Amino acid sequence: MTGGLTEIVGESGAGKTQILLQLCCAIQLPRSLGGLSKTAVYISTVAPISTPRLIQLLSSFRARFADNLQPDDELSTDHVLSITCGDLESQEHILNYQLPVVVEKNNVGLVVLDSVAANFRAEYDGATSSMLKSETPQKRKTGPALLAERGKQLVKMAQSLRNLARLYNIAVVVANQVSDRFECFNPRQKSVSDGETMTLDHQSKWFTGWGDEKHGVDNKVPALGLVWTNCVGARIALHKNPKSNNVSDQSASESSWERVMKVVFAPWAEGGTVCHYTIEPDGVKGVAMREFQR
C-alpha cells in the first residue's frame, strides 16, 4: 500500500528478499497491469542486491506481460536504484538526507529496506560493540538505558520512513528478521486464567504472526520488539515449515516445504488472512489449496 510502512518478517530462507525483488519489478509495470510505472530504491544492510536474480525476474515479467506492454513500458535494472549500508550511522544518513532527494528526482514509487534489524542488532546487541567501546565508562550505556536508546532510534527511523511515504505517496516496505523465544506460550491450552490473558505471551499472537492456533506452538518472534511493532502500519509474516518430520535439512527441494504468507495486521486486509506460496525461478507464486494438498 502506498503512503504507509509495511513490514515483511520471516526467518532465513522464508523468501523475504525474493518478494522484495519481485516488488521492484512489479512497480515498473503500468497501472493497467497493477504497477505504477515508477522506479524502486533498494537499500540493503546485509549484502548487495542480487543483480542476477533481479535480471531473471525482470525477464520473466517481460515474458509474462509481453502482449500487454507498450513500447515505452521498459522493465529494466536501470529503474532499480540500490545502495548498501553496513552500519547504523550510514543508514541514518542515507534515510534522512540522501533518500528524500533520490525519491524526488527519480520518480520513485517504492522504497525497500532489507533488512531493518541487521544494523540495529550489530550496534546495540552485546556490551562489546564498537559503539559502546567508543564511550567512556561514565557515559557507557547498558541494560535498560541501552534498550531505551535503541527504541528512540527505531521510532525516529520509522517516523522518517512514514513521513517519506505520505509526502510522496510511495510504498515503503522493510524486511525484518526473527528472534528465538525461549519460553513459548501454548495457544491450544483450553483454560486460560484472567491473569494470563493480560500477559505479553498471550496477546502477542495477534501482532507477531507466530503462536496462533493455525500454526501451533512456535518459538519465533519478530526482531526489534514491541517498540518497532507499534511503528509499522502493516505486518506480513512468512512461515516456512517442512511438510513431513523427515525433512530437516535446508538443502531439501522446494516441494518439501510448506510456505505460508500471513497478514498479521494491515489497514487494507483482514488480519489472519493466509495463502500458500512457492519460490520458482520465475518468481514467487501463490498456490491453490487443492494443488498444495497434492
Side-chain angles (χ1 to χ4, degrees), residues 96-113:
N96 292 332
Y97 299 102
Q98 297 182 16
L99 184 58
V101 176
V102 172
V103 169
E104 189 168 359
K105 290 186 176 181
N106 294 275
N107 189 33
V108 172
L110 169 70
V111 172
V112 167
L113 178 59

Side-chain angles (χ1 to χ4, degrees), residues 205 209 212 215 235-237 239 260-264 272-274:
K205 61 183 179 181
D212 60 3
H215 297 97
R235 167 171 283 169
I236 299 172
H239 296 264
V260 181
M261 180 185 300
K262 174 183 177 181
V263 177
V264 184
T273 304
V274 300

